[in-house]
Amino acid sequence: MTDDPLRFAPDTAEVRTLYALTPDGFTAWQDGASEPHRAWAEAAEFQGKPGQMLVLPGPNGAPEAALVGLGDASAQARTRFSVAAARATLPAGPWRLSGDLDAAQLDEAALGWLLAGYRFERYATSPAPTATLVVPAGVDAARLEAMAAGEALTRDLINTPARDMGPADLARAATTLADRFDAQIAITDGDALAEGFPLIHTVGQAAGEGRSPRLIDMTWGNAGPRITLVGKGVCFDTGGLNLKPGASMGLMKKDMGGAATVLGLAQMLMETGQPIRLRVLIPAVENAVSGDAFRPGDILPSRKGLTVEINNTDAEGRLVLADALALAGEEETDLTVSMATLTGAARVAVGPDLAPFYTDDNGFAQALSDAGTRNADPLWRMPFWAPYETMIEPGIADLDNAPKGGFAGSITAALFLRRFVTAPRYVHFDIYGWNPSASPARPKGGVGQGARALFAAIEGMV
Ligand code: BES
Ligand code: MN
Ligand code: ZN
């Protein structure tokens, strides 16, 4: 029993039916419908197209049932969460899904419904959706509710502006999560950070007092496969001395989207009690400008011992991740993941809807892609293209953080990270973390990518 818009409603007597219909399904529905409902649907020109929604009145004029369009197969390939789109405008109260949905579509519809309940209310309130859904038969309610809650955490963290989501705030958010699930958490900062994590320290050192860099290390669970998630926690990315132009800097509060996504995923895993040993590593920094900012041309040491020539201070994500990945590799893992809003090149290649990922493990790549499809979390595999390794090798250091020319920018960033990894199974995601325009179940703003696919793939490992 709950008013939480991210959860399902209890089944009650006054539940009404929401028919989700393809154009063909609508024709079939008409055959069984009452004459007034058939006439009403015809007058409203309902055809079962995606985005169509129609409330059917009962004899006294009160809403009795509703129709939502799914579209035909080609329309369905273009729209995710078309049932969820109806939630905002459906009359208040509990609804039950019926119609042309197979088990997989029911799952997607139910998940989308919950995701459509998300609102970002830290600075202003917005009306809560009043329509609720009774959990459809065969749908694992607890699992989908955990997915929705984890995604909501991710969105909240990304949407919060850098003023209120600096490195200390991000560490606090991780601590709150750890406390809720009795996880261990350690934060490294100050001299210990400078000593043990020179890249994280150097990238973050220009940020002002109270916004100093730190490494968040959370662990949970004591048996089962070891899963280590590393998330880019650049709380704001000015570009550093290679300052971003205003238009490119505007959205850079989202540069901790990788951290936000791994925290959301961690919440999903802990809330559903997965039998794993989970570790979450987040280098939390602000890439700022000041007299002690790192400079183009600097050569920096790293935790792993490799030296890095800085050719662009705006390629900071791979630097902070490199030290965190080196730490991750100091113990054996069954899966190591990095999640990062790492390159503009990834956005150019696949746009904001698809999460590009890299792995050398073909079997896991397939499992991950399938898990993405099943969980409405589309992914696209990219290559760790070894012939481009020369692009990240400068003359006078081991590695170059920003190869000239910018060819294959997402691939060279991924290859850079792989130099710091020893784990047999490594997956790297170069995500965008932001939905530029409102779509069903995904409002404009911060959005998780890859978390549900990883969640389902990890379920498959235990
Ligand atoms: N955080 C950015 C990448 C980014 C930009 C992600 C826009 C999503 C949208 C990252 O730190 C960055 O600035 N990368 C540079 C690297 C380049 C200097 C080698 C980029 O992609 O331009
Ligand atoms: Mn940058
Ligand atoms: Zn960045």
Side-chain angles (χ1 to χ4, degrees):
M1 198 70 57
T2 171
D3 288 335
D4 184 346
L6 301 177
R7 307 194 63 170
F8 294 107
D11 204 344
T12 59
E14 52 313 348
V15 63
R16 286 159 297 178
T17 302
L18 172 62
Y19 295 93
L21 301 173
T22 62
D24 287 348
F26 173 61
T27 309
W29 173 87
Q30 284 177 306
D31 293 339
S34 69
E35 183 50 38
H37 281 174
R38 192 164 43 232
W40 181 257
E42 194 180 319
E45 295 180 25
F46 185 88
Q47 291 160 327
K49 292 185 190 162
Q52 286 193 309
M53 203 278 282
L54 183 66
V55 178
L56 303 170
N60 60 359
E64 186 177 88
L67 310 180
V68 60
L70 295 173
D72 59 15
S74 79
Q76 285 176 34
R78 295 170 55 144
T79 4
R80 245 191 298 171
F81 301 131
S82 44
V83 173
R87 184 174 182 183
T89 43
L90 270 177
W95 293 84
R96 186 195 321 280
L97 267 173
S98 175
D100 305 323
L101 299 166
D102 62 23
Q105 290 171 310
L106 259 186
D107 250 6
E108 187 202 294
L111 171 67
W113 182 282
L114 296 184
L115 293 176
Y118 173 78
R119 290 163 299 148
F120 181 57
E121 297 209 280
R122 182 161 169 163
Y123 304 94
T125 54
S126 58
T130 50
T132 59
L133 188 72
V134 172
V135 62
V139 165
D140 184 341
R143 181 176 184 270
L144 295 191
E145 287 176 347
M147 283 185 171
E151 170 67 15
L153 172 63
T154 298
R155 293 179 184 180
D156 278 347
L157 292 172
I158 297 175
N159 286 333
T160 303
R163 174 187 165 88
D164 293 327
M165 190 50 65
D169 303 290
L170 189 53
R172 234 179 330 265
T175 304
T176 302
L177 181 66
D179 289 348
R180 215 176 115 196
F181 294 99
D182 276 326
Q184 310 296 307
I185 189 158
I187 314 282
T188 304
D189 60 4
D191 290 344
L193 189 79
E195 192 69 25
F197 302 90
L199 288 173
I200 300 173
H201 165 76
T202 307
V203 170
Q205 70 181 1
E209 211 176 318
R211 302 183 71 85
S212 59
R214 60 207 72 201
L215 176 71
I216 301 163
D217 185 350
M218 182 178 93
T219 49
W220 176 87
N222 38 37
R226 289 183 191 273
I227 315 277
T228 297
L229 310 174
V230 182
K232 173 176 172 181
V234 175
C235 293
F236 195 76
D237 184 8
T238 66
L241 292 176
N242 291 112
L243 196 66
K244 284 182 185 293
S248 309
M249 203 190 297
L251 263 183
M252 282 299 127
K253 69 172 183 181
K254 78 172 176 77
D255 213 19
M256 33 60 75
T261 302
V262 296
L263 287 172
L265 170 56
Q267 181 176 304
M268 295 175 203
L269 293 164
M270 294 189 290
E271 189 150 23
T272 54
Q274 299 297 322
I276 58 172
R277 282 171 288 185
L278 176 65
R279 187 177 195 187
V280 177
L281 296 174
I282 296 172
V285 304
E286 183 155 335
N287 189 18
V289 180
S290 84
D292 58 357
F294 70 124
R295 312 156 195 87
D298 280 353
I299 295 180
L300 307 180
S302 68
R303 179 175 182 88
K304 201 180 168 75
L306 297 169
T307 56
V308 185
E309 181 176 318
I310 303 305
N311 282 304
N312 193 321
T313 61
D314 199 7
E316 83 297 338
R318 66 198 74 186
L319 301 174
V320 299
L321 289 168
D323 275 355
L325 284 167
L327 175 66
E330 290 165 21
E331 64 172 9
E332 299 210 332
T333 61
D334 298 286
L335 172 64
T336 299
V337 177
S338 53
M339 271 273 172
T341 51
L342 200 59
T343 69
R347 166 197 62 163
V348 172
V350 299
D353 248 32
L354 271 176
F357 73 97
Y358 297 80
T359 180
D360 288 317
D361 185 326
N362 294 332
F364 196 70
Q366 192 59 51
L368 204 50
S369 294
D370 293 346
T373 304
R374 283 197 312 275
N375 292 279
D377 190 12
L379 315 179
W380 205 263
R381 189 182 183 186
M382 302 276 284
F384 275 125
W385 187 249
Y388 294 163
E389 293 277 9
T390 53
M391 293 193 200
I392 58 171
E393 292 163 352
I396 58 168
D398 293 317
L399 289 169
D400 179 342
N401 83 323
K404 280 170 201 65
F407 284 120
S410 177
I411 297 176
T412 53
L415 290 172
F416 182 99
L417 294 181
R418 194 175 64 168
R419 295 286 185 109
F420 295 85
V421 174
T422 45
R425 182 183 272 175
Y426 171 53
V427 183
H428 162 61
F429 278 85
D430 192 345
I431 58 172
Y432 191 58
W434 189 264
N435 191 22
S437 56
S439 42
R442 300 162 80 247
K444 178 177 172 177
V447 70
Q449 291 185 280
R452 290 191 298 276
L454 279 164
F455 176 80
I458 291 168
E459 282 180 318
M461 286 173 68
V462 301

